[in-house]
Amino acid sequence: MNPSDIVWHPATVDRSARESNLGQRGVVVWFTGLSGCGKSTVANELDSQLLQLGRATTLLDGDNIRHGLCAPPPALREEHGEAFAERFGLGFASIDREENIRRIGNVAALMASAGLITLTAFVSPYRKDRDRVRKIVEEAGKTGDFIEVFVDTPLDICEARDPKGLYKKARSGEIKNFTGISDPYEAPRNPEIRLDGGKATTPADQAAEVLQKLVEWKVFATS
Ligand SMILES: Nc1ncnc2c1ncn2[C@@H]1O[C@H](COP(=O)(O)OS(=O)(=O)O)[C@@H](OP(=O)(O)O)[C@H]1O
Ligand SMILES: Nc1ncnc2c1ncn2[C@@H]1O[C@H](COP(=O)(O)OP(=O)(O)O)[C@@H](O)[C@H]1O
């Protein structure tokens, strides 16, 4: 197949019309960090705070997306067969994570193009993968549309929390390629926002810190 046979069709209703209808800019707020660092909790809290302010949002959470769009091979086998499951199912090898983030990065960019404040919560451990999403989102919109939020909670705190018992399994070798234990986490060098999970702050305060930046950066105005 020749890629040039697939031709972009310009939309009749453009992004700026959608954004002005909603009274906000479409952006991607990309939470990244170790398992258990607080990504989902803070992103959900931010989602609630934004809803209270009447903002149009959506939230894409790694755990949930891996139940559908990025399901693992065993979840696809019965419905689609072995070959399909092996080809399209995703685990946690670096190439699988790359495809996970590529798929979800494109989905997030589409949602931001629809004018939504798009919150995402993925471990997304590789800098290159996150930087690719930044590029996709900014090419679909403009510089400033991708807001990387590093939830910087030390590994020992994440491991002590271990809400799903995954660190315990990773330590015993039952789970392979576990981020922070047997797989790398490449911390962002210049995130737009860094939340210090090493100090005693509530998820509500952390979410409020992000919210304040969104207002400061004129994603929307508060009345
Ligand atoms: N090997 C390994 N490494 C990291 N995480 C693992 C692994 N196996 C399962 N889990 C669970 O899957 C959640 C991470 O999924 P993501 O899609 O966010 O991962 S990634 O961005 O593709 O790296 C992650 O969710 P969170 O704990 O919410 O971060 C874990 O619950
Ligand atoms: N700021 C915080 N202070 C204390 N505990 C927190 C904080 N943020 C999250 N938690 C707790 O840490 C655990 C892991 O949070 P979660 O949002 O599931 O992390 P992640 O999505 O990064 O895996 C949960 O039990 C949650 O209640």
Side-chain angles (χ1 to χ4, degrees):
M1 194 215 58
N2 187 340
S4 66
D5 292 341
I6 302 170
V7 181
W8 184 268
H9 190 103
T12 305
V13 178
D14 72 6
R15 178 175 184 151
S16 62
R18 292 184 197 281
E19 290 181 329
S20 87
N21 227 9
L22 292 167
Q24 63 184 42
R25 272 172 51 215
V27 293
V28 175
V29 183
W30 187 275
F31 288 86
T32 172
L34 295 170
S35 175
C37 70
K39 300 179 296 296
S40 301
T41 309
V42 181
N44 274 282
E45 177 60 37
L46 177 60
D47 203 15
S48 302
Q49 294 183 11
L50 287 165
L51 186 84
Q52 288 285 318
L53 294 170
R55 296 296 107 216
T57 65
T58 190
L59 169 57
L60 306 168
D61 189 297
D63 281 323
N64 302 346
I65 295 294
R66 280 179 177 273
H67 279 82
L69 181 64
C70 300
L76 299 175
R77 236 165 242 145
E78 191 179 323
E79 186 66 28
H80 297 276
E82 181 63 29
F84 183 99
E86 281 314 306
R87 185 161 169 202
F88 299 116
L90 301 181
F92 289 93
S94 61
I95 196 170
D96 295 55
R97 295 184 199 251
E98 181 177 336
E99 174 60 1
N100 185 36
I101 300 308
R102 190 192 71 83
R103 284 184 201 171
I104 207 62
N106 277 280
V107 171
L110 288 172
M111 291 187 165
S113 298
L116 299 176
I117 299 172
T118 305
L119 314 179
T120 70
F122 292 83
V123 173
S124 44
Y126 298 114
R127 213 170 276 135
K128 198 170 175 186
D129 295 343
R130 296 191 303 266
D131 287 347
R132 282 199 189 104
V133 179
R134 180 185 291 276
K135 192 160 175 274
I136 292 166
V137 170
E138 291 186 347
E139 277 176 5
K142 56 179 180 297
T143 305
D145 287 350
F146 182 82
I147 298 164
E148 190 173 28
V149 182
F150 176 27
V151 187
D152 191 2
T153 308
L155 177 64
D156 58 335
I157 295 182
C158 298
E159 191 167 358
R161 288 178 182 165
D162 204 9
K164 302 167 200 158
L166 298 176
Y167 280 98
K168 195 157 174 261
K169 287 187 184 169
R171 287 286 183 198
S172 72
E174 194 183 326
I175 299 182
K176 312 273 180 238
N177 301 343
F178 196 80
T179 306
I181 305 295
S182 42
D183 230 41
Y185 178 77
E186 298 172 359
R189 291 201 179 104
N190 276 307
E192 276 70 16
I193 301 171
R194 175 183 165 270
L195 299 176
D196 186 352
K199 59 175 196 202
T201 22
T202 65
D205 285 342
Q206 291 177 312
E209 205 176 318
V210 179
L211 186 76
Q212 198 191 327
K213 292 288 184 192
L214 298 184
V215 173
E216 208 175 290
W217 295 332
K218 299 190 171 26
V219 172
F220 63 93
T222 47
S223 46

